[in-house]
Amino acid sequence: MPELTHVTPKMTAATELLEMGLQMYFDGAYIAALHLAGGVDDIFGGYVTRSGTDSAFESLKAGALRIAEHLAKHPEYQVQGPPATEKGIARAMNYARNRTKHLDEQGDDEILFAPRQEAEDMLRRALTNYYDLLSRLPLEESELMRRFNHECI
């Protein structure tokens, strides 16, 4: 077994994953981009949370829950099915990422989703966290980040 001697800051790893995720997105490899961006969202989101603010995931989840609670108070907007929960919203937000990386049971061989849109959404979450950190840490905006912001937002 090789001796482990190289220490890599997670910020460096996440930045590399983000750049590769953006490149994969622009190359049309949406599922790869989705997974790279998901890892970045977890890492950068953790740093944002450590700083005392809500990560992009937490902010979006809280907003969706507030909308669901508001709609539940108005019968004209109610839909069939169980009421939205924090856990249900979180599952929906990460559905494509989780379903494309797990094989759960017999017959679980396909997934119906919009790969490009899911990759774009996850990249947007990762970038939101990155820009939050950019205001406090010595990070730089890359050309791929600028391109994504120009073309996808």
Side-chain angles (χ1 to χ4, degrees):
M1 179 180 220
E3 185 178 340
L4 302 179
T5 60
H6 185 78
V7 175
T8 301
K10 287 193 178 186
M11 189 67 70
T12 301
T15 302
E16 181 178 316
L17 291 170
L18 177 56
E19 284 296 302
M20 291 308 299
L22 289 164
Q23 187 61 58
M24 293 290 100
Y25 175 83
F26 289 121
D27 290 345
Y30 301 122
I31 296 170
L34 170 67
H35 283 277
L36 291 169
V40 172
D41 180 52
D42 289 344
I43 294 170
F44 286 156
Y47 281 113
V48 169
T49 300
R50 278 186 190 176
S51 73
T53 57
D54 283 344
S55 68
F57 174 78
E58 290 299 326
S59 181
L60 288 168
K61 183 176 67 170
L65 191 57
R66 283 192 302 275
I67 290 169
E69 289 169 350
H70 175 76
L71 294 177
K73 296 176 186 175
H74 299 279
E76 65 273 19
Y77 297 120
Q78 289 185 10
V79 295
Q80 293 182 2
T85 63
E86 185 175 348
K87 184 177 180 180
I89 290 169
R91 286 184 66 211
M93 289 173 66
N94 288 325
Y95 173 81
R97 178 181 178 212
N98 289 331
R99 291 284 290 126
T100 55
K101 71 177 182 177
H102 298 292
L103 183 65
D104 293 327
E105 64 230 17
Q106 190 69 21
D108 183 33
D109 299 327
E110 298 175 330
I111 177 174
L112 179 63
F113 75 117
R116 181 180 178 156
Q117 186 61 53
E118 293 291 346
E120 190 172 309
D121 290 347
M122 192 65 74
L123 283 164
R124 192 171 290 115
R125 278 172 33 189
L127 281 166
T128 297
N129 290 325
Y130 185 85
Y131 286 118
D132 184 284
L133 295 169
L134 186 69
S135 67
R136 287 175 283 217
L137 299 173
L139 301 170
E140 295 182 16
E141 182 181 48
S142 72
E143 184 56 40
L144 286 172
M145 293 174 193
R146 284 189 286 278
R147 179 179 173 194
F148 183 85
N149 290 331
H150 177 74
E151 293 180 20
C152 302
I153 294 181

